[in-house]
Amino acid sequence: MQELLSCTNIVFHCAATVRFNDPLRHAVQLNVTATQKLLLMASQMPKLEAFIHISTAFSNCNLKHIDEVIYPCPVEPKKIIDSMEWLDDAIVDEITPKLIRDWPNTYTYTKALGEMVVHQESGNLNIAIVRPSIVGATWQEPFPGWVDNVNGPSGLIIATGRGFLRALRGTPMAVADLIPVDTVVNLTLAVGWYTAVHRPKSTLIYHCTSSNFNPCHWGKMGFQILATCEKIPFERAFRRPYADFTTNTITTQYQNAVSHWAPAIIYDLYLRLTGRKPRMTKLMNRLLRTVSVLEYFVNRSWEWSTNNTEMLMSELSPEDQRVFNFDVRQLNWLEYIENYVLGVKKYLLKEDMAGVPEAKQHLRRLRNIHYLFNTALFLIAWRFLIARSQMARNVWLFIVSFCYKFISYFRASSTLKA
């Protein structure tokens, strides 16, 4: 430990829990208390040149426009930390909604508290804060599309590509403020250099976002994900990839019932009849809970000021701008999203590209099953109507009579021509 304290020149503090629905106590321990303790350690490092704290662009997502400043929290972080020491879990869970107020979850709330801790307890440390938005797969380094976790869009891509997720409550024209992970790393390294060398008089905040420079909308992103999943499908799909946005509670509940729960129940019934353990309903419920947590971010757009980020870009030499590239204006979203889907297939699902023909054949079988099921459902419903409704019987007789006359006319015409 003494060697660590005496030899460290720069600290990049990026450790955190990123789970949106973590209990408040756990989120405070990892995102607030741990930050406080690391700052205490940093104050004992005589050779420390810079302390770079990684926050999130959504730490103040209760605001529409977010500036490069630290916003005060309604309750002092020290009071929150102290209260977590003696309150039991039941009381903490009960008061959580009142504490987080208009923050959507404990993650964004505790990241805001973490920024306040950095501001209040920085002492003489040379500090900067980086706020990335939704972090996705790599853009360029180490190679396009690399990803190693199912957080954020990665989980949605898997759920969509394998046919589990068919509908999502969201706004297609809302900006999906996605940022490649290598872009975040490049900006963070550049911030470390600038903070250590130029030693700004105050704590500078850098927004690592894409909406100001090169916005991409959720609708465009969803369309490209589906197009790529059709071209290079995932293996063992549950249903054909298809997803759409719903705009209100009624259509969302309807889609959940028809497109999510009903197929899951039918499949679990099939598993029971074949002597296997049902699992799809439980999986679907877990997926829908996860999706409901993400809905807050899929229905809104934010504006982030990026003056410090642009200033930092201008401070870099042309060679450094190339090596530590964080200029998202150069990013081609369609190409990036296609690489992202391929990266999920190769690096998360561990699927070989040699299996693509078989995956396409599996999708064709699923399509045929879909058509067969819909046809059977229509015939059953129509048979029920014929049995119950005189009007339905009359319509059916008219259709049959019309088809018979048309076929007879066609045969007579063919005979005359011969």
Side-chain angles (χ1 to χ4, degrees):
M1 175 62 74
Q2 191 57 43
E3 183 180 358
L4 181 67
L5 294 176
S6 61
C7 298
T8 301
N9 299 113
I10 187 166
V11 172
F12 294 100
H13 179 219
C14 53
T17 175
V18 296
R19 292 178 58 186
F20 287 175
N21 55 356
D22 247 354
L24 182 60
R25 184 192 304 280
H26 188 248
V28 168
Q29 287 172 345
L30 294 182
N31 294 347
V32 188
T33 307
T35 300
Q36 184 185 52
K37 291 180 178 179
L38 187 58
L39 285 166
L40 179 61
M41 282 184 60
S43 66
Q44 303 171 46
M45 298 175 179
K47 296 183 180 179
L48 188 69
E49 298 291 340
F51 184 103
I52 312 303
H53 175 71
I54 311 300
S55 184
T56 171
F58 299 101
S59 58
N60 301 286
C61 59
N62 51 329
L63 304 174
K64 173 67 175 176
H65 179 85
I66 302 168
D67 286 315
E68 296 164 308
V69 299
I70 296 176
Y71 293 89
C73 294
V75 182
E76 283 292 315
K78 289 182 180 180
K79 293 182 179 179
I80 298 292
I81 294 172
D82 292 341
S83 65
M84 294 298 119
E85 296 294 328
W86 59 271
L87 290 174
D88 62 38
D89 290 340
I91 295 177
V92 172
D93 292 342
E94 184 178 345
I95 65 174
T96 293
K98 296 179 181 178
L99 286 175
I100 68 175
R101 300 194 183 191
D102 50 355
W103 276 269
N105 50 56
T106 57
Y107 167 70
T108 54
Y109 174 67
T110 53
K111 292 301 280 185
L113 290 175
E115 290 186 6
M116 280 295 295
V117 167
V118 170
H119 175 65
Q120 293 174 349
E121 305 193 19
S122 59
N124 295 322
L125 295 176
N126 197 20
I127 289 182
I129 296 176
V130 177
R131 289 176 177 165
S133 52
I134 304 171
V135 181
T138 57
W139 172 16
Q140 296 171 324
E141 299 176 282
F143 27 78
W146 180 83
V147 61
D148 69 343
N149 64 76
V150 296
N151 295 330
S154 303
L156 293 179
I157 289 172
I158 294 173
T160 303
R162 286 204 161 155
F164 295 111
L165 182 63
R166 311 285 288 183
L168 173 67
R169 184 172 184 180
T171 305
M173 291 308 297
V175 175
D177 205 297
L178 192 63
I179 195 78
V181 63
D182 50 335
T183 302
V184 179
V185 172
N186 287 340
L187 174 63
T188 302
L189 293 174
V191 168
W193 162 79
Y194 184 83
T195 305
V197 171
H198 293 272
R199 307 188 71 82
K201 295 181 180 179
S202 61
T203 299
L204 295 184
I205 297 168
Y206 301 85
H207 285 144
C208 189
T209 57
S210 59
S211 56
N212 278 26
F213 305 108
N214 187 7
C216 177
H217 300 97
W218 286 106
K220 177 182 178 181
M221 179 179 173
F223 177 82
Q224 185 63 16
I225 289 172
L226 290 173
T228 307
C229 288
E230 283 285 342
K231 184 168 64 174
I232 307 175
F234 295 163
E235 298 173 10
R236 301 183 302 278
F238 176 59
R239 300 176 71 187
R240 284 181 63 83
Y242 174 81
D244 200 4
F245 290 98
T246 59
T247 55
N248 56 64
T249 303
I250 295 175
T251 55
T252 301
Q253 292 297 330
Y254 171 78
Q255 289 288 358
N256 284 343
V258 173
S259 300
H260 295 138
W261 286 315
I265 292 170
I266 292 171
Y267 186 73
D268 276 350
L269 179 61
Y270 164 75
L271 291 178
R272 286 183 184 276
L273 293 174
T274 54
R276 287 176 286 178
K277 184 179 179 181
R279 64 179 186 276
M280 192 55 64
T281 304
K282 184 182 294 185
L283 176 65
M284 193 62 70
N285 287 334
R286 189 169 62 188
L287 171 64
L288 293 179
R289 282 197 301 270
T290 302
V291 168
S292 67
V293 172
L294 300 176
E295 286 178 357
Y296 180 91
F297 302 94
V298 186
N299 282 281
R300 292 168 173 80
S301 299
W302 287 266
E303 299 171 359
W304 288 276
S305 59
T306 54
N307 296 328
N308 290 337
T309 305
E310 294 178 61
M311 175 276 296
L312 178 60
M313 194 180 301
S314 67
E315 289 289 325
L316 297 178
S317 67
E319 176 63 14
D320 284 341
Q321 288 181 9
R322 184 189 66 80
V323 175
F324 302 99
N325 180 27
F326 53 88
D327 185 1
V328 291
R329 288 173 292 195
Q330 306 168 19
L331 179 60
N332 183 318
W333 281 112
L334 296 182
E335 180 182 308
Y336 172 76
I337 293 168
E338 180 172 319
N339 288 332
Y340 197 160
V341 175
L342 294 178
V344 167
K345 178 179 177 66
K346 290 194 288 186
Y347 308 118
L348 278 184
L349 300 178
K350 309 297 182 184
E351 296 180 1
D352 197 321
M353 297 300 288
V356 169
E358 175 58 31
K360 288 184 176 180
Q361 181 64 30
H362 179 64
L363 287 190
R364 285 192 286 270
R365 287 195 293 267
L366 290 176
R367 179 195 60 194
N368 294 337
I369 292 171
H370 174 75
Y371 290 157
L372 182 63
F373 177 81
N374 284 351
T375 302
L377 192 64
F378 171 78
L379 292 176
I380 292 170
W382 185 247
R383 180 67 184 85
F384 177 80
L385 284 173
I386 289 176
R388 295 297 183 91
S389 170
Q390 181 62 44
M391 181 179 293
R393 284 196 292 272
N394 292 339
V395 171
W396 177 246
L397 289 173
F398 172 78
I399 293 173
V400 172
S401 175
F402 178 81
C403 291
Y404 176 77
K405 291 179 180 179
F406 179 79
I407 293 171
S408 299
Y409 173 78
F410 181 77
R411 285 180 177 175
S413 299
S414 299
T415 302
L416 289 173
K417 288 179 180 179

